[in-house]
């Protein structure tokens, strides 16, 4: 009986956490990056001027800001870009660290695997942003994507 009660409690907490990840219009508002819960802030055009980019990760305040009127592909790329910044910060790598290619790829792979495991609903939200890409015959551009060339 006690084991069943514990299982129900874990399931309830997991469902509650998944529901709390999104706002009333289906936008992501919270994700777990390693041991840290990040808040996703959707910002308007005026507020984004102070960012000087379309998305920004702040490890101190544990937030990721994303311009709310980006096209879905821009949101998808910017989101992963900022999550990778969060991985780097969590790994305590200095900003000018030059990791060998294999080490950098392994670091990203390990963190992304854990991130998608810890945030399964986020993976569905993110992949839905790309649905139009798989169903359309148009060329994909990276217009509106921040820091891609940086």
């Amino acid at each position: 009986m006690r084991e069943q009660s514990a299982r129900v409690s874990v399931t309830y907490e997991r469902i509650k956490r998944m529901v709390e990840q999104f706002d009333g219009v289906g936008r992501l508002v919270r994700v777990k990056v390693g041991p840290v819960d990040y808040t996703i802030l959707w910002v308007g055009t005026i507020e984004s001027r102070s960012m000087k980019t379309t998305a920004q990760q702040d490890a101190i305040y544990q937030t990721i800001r994303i311009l709310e009127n980006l096209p879905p592909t821009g949101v998808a790329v910017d989101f992963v870009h900022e999550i990778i910044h969060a991985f780097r910060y969590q790994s305590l790598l200095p900003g000018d660290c030059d990791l060998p290619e294999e080490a950098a790829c392994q670091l990203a792979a390990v963190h992304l695997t854990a991130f998608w495991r810890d945030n399964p609903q986020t993976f569905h939200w993110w992949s839905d942003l790309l649905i139009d890409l798989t169903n359309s015959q148009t060329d994909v551009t990276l217009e509106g994507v921040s820091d891609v060339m940086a």
Side-chain angles (χ1 to χ4, degrees):
M1 182 70 164
R2 188 175 196 176
E3 182 181 316
Q4 183 179 6
S5 175
R7 225 178 304 151
V8 169
S9 177
V10 168
T11 302
Y12 171 76
E13 287 303 315
R14 196 167 184 193
I15 291 169
K16 182 179 169 194
R17 189 175 50 219
M18 285 191 287
V19 169
E20 291 173 347
Q21 276 189 289
F22 300 92
D23 66 10
V25 294
R27 293 183 306 189
L28 186 68
V29 294
R30 192 173 335 284
V31 294
K32 186 171 191 56
V33 181
V36 178
D37 291 326
Y38 271 76
T39 300
I40 310 298
L41 301 173
W42 296 90
V43 299
T45 307
I46 293 172
E47 186 179 348
S48 73
R49 289 181 186 154
S50 66
M51 292 177 8
K52 297 184 169 79
T53 184
T54 55
Q56 184 178 59
Q57 181 263 162
D58 185 329
I60 295 170
Y61 293 105
Q62 301 166 347
T63 59
I64 294 174
R65 289 178 169 76
I66 301 174
L67 185 62
E68 65 187 358
N69 61 354
L70 285 178
T73 54
V75 172
V77 173
D78 277 0
F79 176 74
V80 171
H81 179 99
E82 298 309 324
I83 291 297
I84 291 171
H85 277 300
F87 295 161
R88 186 179 185 92
Y89 183 81
Q90 301 248 336
S91 299
L92 302 175
L93 296 174
D96 59 354
C97 176
D98 281 333
L99 280 179
E101 183 176 351
E102 282 302 311
C105 290
Q106 183 64 15
L107 179 69
V110 167
H111 283 293
L112 273 172
T113 301
F115 178 77
W116 293 134
R117 179 203 61 211
D118 293 343
N119 301 281
Q121 292 303 104
T122 302
F123 181 79
H124 294 294
W125 166 83
W126 177 81
S127 63
D128 284 349
L129 292 170
L130 304 174
I131 294 290
D132 289 340
L133 295 179
T134 59
N135 293 332
S136 75
Q137 300 299 319
T138 59
D139 291 335
V140 176
T141 64
L142 295 178
E143 183 178 334
V145 177
S146 75
D147 301 301
V148 170
M149 303 308 284

